[in-house]
Amino acid sequence: MMARQLWWAALLLGVSCACAAAPAETIRIKDIGKMAGWRANALTGYGLVTGLAGTGDSSRNKTTRQSIANMLSRYDLTVVADDVQSRNVAAVMVTASLSPFARPGDAFDVTITSIGDARSLVGGALMLAPLKAANGQIYALAQGALSVGGYKYDMNGNVVQKNHPTVASIPGGATVEQGVATDVTNAGTSVTFVLADPDYTTASRVAHAINQSLGLGIELAVAQDASGIAIQIPESRRSRVTDFLTAIENVAVEPDRRAKVVINERTGTVVSGGDVRISKVAVSQGDLKVTIMTENTVSQPLLLIRVNQGRYGTPVSNTQVEVSEGAETGFVAATNNTVADLVQALTRTKTNTRDIISILRAVKAAGALHAELIVQ
């Protein structure tokens, strides 16, 4: 069966026509990178979630009890931490990402995660929590009712749970108190465009496309390396840098693409570019079948039955292993084809994905697959 399948694969590869190459696709520069300095800022904070229906941290969590005592002291209430026995409060961490051009008063989402032994955050509300950056300064304040995409209820050993009830979010729950001064220009005279996937060919094409689109007759964009393109801002555009950057972002370019084949062995997924080439190679795969048969019997001698009345015999398992290999092996000859042709041909012959992955890895090891093989 395997020999017949691979024979059909060879036939399909042999009759595949050499179609004309598809026209290259051009995309905007803003879709393959960003301006240097454009980055989000991570914020973190510590807070308390109240209003839980007995699903908060237990009395064993000293951090939560101390936090409750400290919070009440702000309202002129003196409570010893050891006297706090409430399970309606949970200690949480608050995380968020501050956009590069955030201004005071802007709202953004925050994520709440439990750090204690709380069972669920359903129905809780976050008390006012300051959010700090890595420099220790407060940039936002978070507060509000939690939105939990799950639940957990347990009673008498029975547990019903959906998703992760100890993780929640507050849409628009944080307010910016201190904005971030983001300047993507270098003293207002130049900018640097950074590619998401560094490549010398793509960087050179981007610089060439920018110089052609501006039409000023001078070379303003220069590829510094495989990732960065330095762009000079003309003096006539320095008063309106935003309009200049808008024109730069919408320049169309044809990026170069590296040949890659991505294999996920856990899910049996193979993803590759349609034009990844395969040199002349022969693929041969045998058909091995292993059969294991187990027969369970009971050994019960007659003399033992008479001497030990009422006792059972001894179970005995007899196992047989048979290995059979097909008389013929499959053969596929791939000549100047692509990975897409080979995978499509093998799929039509009902070759399973695991075998296709093994074949592609063997072709790569033979030096016939001209692409980077990424195994996840």
Side-chain angles (χ1 to χ4, degrees):
M1 180 62 68
M2 180 61 69
R4 180 178 298 177
Q5 291 177 353
L6 292 179
W7 180 84
W8 274 106
L11 180 62
L12 290 172
L13 286 174
V15 301
S16 59
C17 61
C19 300
E25 181 181 2
T26 59
I27 60 177
R28 297 178 303 174
I29 288 179
K30 67 184 303 181
D31 297 327
I32 60 175
K34 61 182 180 180
M35 297 296 174
W38 184 297
R39 48 158 295 184
N41 300 274
L43 301 180
T44 58
Y46 172 82
L48 292 175
V49 172
T50 60
L52 305 177
T55 60
D57 295 336
S58 64
S59 58
R60 298 187 302 270
N61 196 319
K62 296 182 179 180
T63 301
T64 305
R65 292 188 297 171
Q66 185 65 50
S67 299
I68 296 175
N70 294 343
M71 180 188 65
L72 294 177
S73 64
R74 300 176 184 175
Y75 302 97
D76 299 331
L77 295 176
T78 303
V79 179
V80 181
D82 294 336
D83 295 337
V84 178
Q85 302 296 330
S86 175
R87 288 216 60 172
N88 297 337
V89 182
V92 296
M93 292 299 298
V94 185
T95 59
S97 180
L98 186 64
S99 64
F101 295 97
R103 300 178 182 273
D106 293 347
F108 56 95
D109 301 344
V110 295
T111 302
I112 314 297
T113 57
S114 172
I115 61 174
D117 55 356
R119 296 193 299 268
S120 175
L121 299 179
V122 174
L126 176 68
M127 301 295 293
L128 187 63
L131 301 181
K132 299 181 180 180
N135 57 7
Q137 297 184 14
I138 298 177
Y139 284 87
L141 299 176
Q143 179 177 274
L146 273 61
S147 175
V148 182
Y151 54 81
K152 180 179 180 181
Y153 301 101
D154 60 282
M155 179 175 292
N156 299 328
N158 298 321
V159 179
V160 179
Q161 180 175 341
K162 178 182 178 182
N163 297 335
H164 298 278
T166 54
V167 178
S169 63
I170 306 178
T175 304
V176 178
E177 296 295 327
Q178 179 181 347
V180 179
T182 302
D183 186 9
V184 298
T185 65
N186 300 320
T189 60
S190 65
V191 294
T192 302
F193 185 81
V194 181
L195 295 176
D197 295 322
D199 184 83
Y200 284 106
T201 303
T202 303
S204 178
R205 291 179 181 178
V206 169
H208 181 69
I210 292 175
N211 290 327
Q212 279 192 334
S213 65
L214 294 179
L216 299 178
I218 57 176
E219 191 178 77
L220 297 179
V222 178
Q224 295 177 324
D225 48 36
S227 177
I229 299 94
I231 307 172
Q232 296 293 328
I233 303 176
E235 293 185 3
S236 59
R237 300 288 189 91
R238 292 179 183 177
S239 59
R240 305 183 64 178
V241 178
T242 301
D243 295 338
F244 176 74
L245 296 181
T246 301
I248 294 296
E249 288 183 339
N250 288 277
V251 173
V253 67
E254 178 191 341
D256 192 55
R257 183 175 58 182
R258 292 179 179 270
K260 295 182 180 180
V261 178
V262 182
I263 294 176
N264 192 319
E265 292 186 323
R266 296 186 299 273
T267 60
T269 304
V270 179
V271 179
S272 70
D275 54 352
V276 178
R277 309 298 300 182
I278 298 178
S279 298
K280 296 180 180 180
V281 64
V283 180
S284 179
Q285 183 177 6
D287 189 6
L288 183 66
K289 182 179 181 181
V290 180
T291 304
I292 301 176
M293 301 179 60
T294 303
E295 182 180 358
N296 297 321
T297 59
V298 179
S299 176
Q300 195 172 28
L302 182 60
L303 180 61
L304 181 61
I305 296 176
R306 293 180 178 178
V307 176
N308 301 322
Q309 297 293 334
R311 295 188 178 180
Y312 298 97
T314 303
V316 177
S317 298
N318 298 320
T319 304
Q320 296 180 354
V321 180
E322 296 182 2
V323 179
S324 60
E325 187 173 4
E328 300 180 357
T329 58
F331 178 81
V332 170
T335 305
N336 294 328
N337 292 287
T338 64
V339 172
D341 295 333
L342 179 60
V343 172
Q344 184 178 12
L346 294 175
T347 302
R348 289 180 180 177
T349 57
K350 298 182 180 180
T351 304
N352 60 60
T353 309
R354 301 295 179 184
D355 291 337
I356 295 177
I357 291 176
S358 300
I359 291 173
L360 289 177
R361 299 186 68 171
V363 171
K364 176 63 176 179
L369 177 60
H370 304 293
E372 180 183 359
L373 190 63
I374 302 176
V375 181
Q376 296 180 344

